[in-house]
Amino acid sequence: MIQINLLPEELRPQPGITPKKAAALATGALVNASLLAWWGWLSIAVGQRVDMDLVQVKEQMAGLTPQVDYHRALETEHRVYESREQTLGGITGERISWTQKIDEFVDLAHLGSDTSQYLVWFGNLNVTQVSDDRRKDYGSLRAEGFSGTGNFANVANYLEDLEESHFAKGFNPPAPPEGSQSKIDEELTPSEVWSFPVELSLKSPEERNNDGV
């Protein structure tokens, strides 16, 4: 049934707020106030704590940075020395102890002289060591040899002993014996001399390592 209120507006009863609406409005206001308080605590208290933590972290970083820089410098220095050690190791591995080689070379000549197998001496001695894999050239030992005997077989014996000696390790075999005989001069000792070349080429570093040189 439709009811029509004909009273003037100022005499009409005003509509009230129900308890449910009042409770809902109060709850919403309380929630909004709580959220506002939580946001304020986050923005102030937590923000201050974060700033303090950031300051502490920066101080710790400032203290650790010199140590980190020093550690990196040590690592760089270690890599440099390691590279030098490898380089020196490679050089040492390819080097030949020429002092030992020359001693063995001379000892063999003296040994032959002592046993009267051959009387050998040298006019010059030239040693080179290179590394040319393309040309298969690794150096050589060259000498101008002399044998104080009229028998060229003694020269051949010397070259054979040279090839079989410990000195020859690391070298390729010498060329076949050849030489020239000087004129006999009875006023000289020895009166007859054979001159002959001595030439041995070095093996590659890998082959020398296999020979134990």
Side-chain angles (χ1 to χ4, degrees):
M1 178 177 177
I2 299 176
Q3 293 182 357
I4 300 176
N5 192 343
L6 300 176
L7 292 175
E9 185 176 353
E10 62 271 10
L11 297 178
R12 295 175 185 176
Q14 298 295 324
I17 299 176
T18 63
K20 290 184 177 181
K21 289 184 177 179
L25 291 174
T27 301
L30 181 60
V31 170
N32 289 335
S34 299
L35 291 175
L36 182 62
W38 176 255
W39 177 82
W41 182 80
L42 287 177
S43 62
I44 297 175
V46 176
Q48 290 179 350
R49 181 176 298 176
V50 170
D51 291 339
M52 292 177 60
D53 292 342
L54 180 60
V55 171
Q56 292 179 356
V57 170
K58 288 183 177 179
E59 290 178 351
Q60 293 176 357
M61 285 294 296
L64 292 174
T65 297
Q67 299 181 29
V68 173
D69 293 340
Y70 179 68
H71 178 72
R72 290 176 178 172
L74 287 179
E75 286 184 336
T76 302
E77 187 175 355
H78 175 72
R79 287 194 295 269
V80 171
Y81 279 109
E82 192 175 49
S83 177
R84 290 179 180 175
E85 184 177 357
Q86 292 176 352
T87 302
L88 290 175
I91 294 174
T92 303
E94 294 182 1
R95 289 186 59 188
I96 294 177
S97 177
W98 287 109
T99 301
Q100 178 182 351
K101 283 295 183 184
I102 298 303
D103 284 344
E104 294 172 350
F105 185 74
V106 173
D107 287 344
L108 179 63
H110 286 171
L111 177 64
S113 299
D114 293 339
T115 59
S116 300
Q117 291 181 347
Y118 35 76
L119 177 62
V120 171
W121 68 94
F122 305 97
N124 57 48
L125 182 66
N126 184 20
V127 174
T128 60
Q129 185 174 355
V130 296
S131 181
D132 191 343
D133 290 326
R134 292 181 303 174
R135 299 176 56 187
K136 303 299 182 182
D137 183 11
Y138 305 100
S140 63
L141 179 144
R142 293 183 175 89
E144 182 183 7
F146 300 94
S147 177
T149 174
N151 188 357
F152 186 74
N154 290 348
V155 175
N157 291 337
Y158 166 76
L159 294 176
E160 182 178 353
D161 290 348
L162 182 67
E163 182 178 355
E164 295 177 354
S165 67
H166 186 273
F167 161 82
K169 286 188 175 182
F171 290 95
N172 293 307
E178 61 178 66
S180 59
Q181 186 179 24
S182 64
K183 293 181 179 180
I184 299 177
D185 189 344
E186 299 295 343
E187 295 182 359
L188 299 177
T189 303
S191 60
E192 192 173 359
V193 175
W194 278 93
S195 61
F196 62 96
V198 178
E199 182 172 351
L200 299 96
S201 61
L202 280 171
K203 296 181 179 179
S204 67
E206 293 77 11
E207 293 173 320
R208 294 200 301 267
N209 288 334
N210 294 333
D211 289 346
V213 178

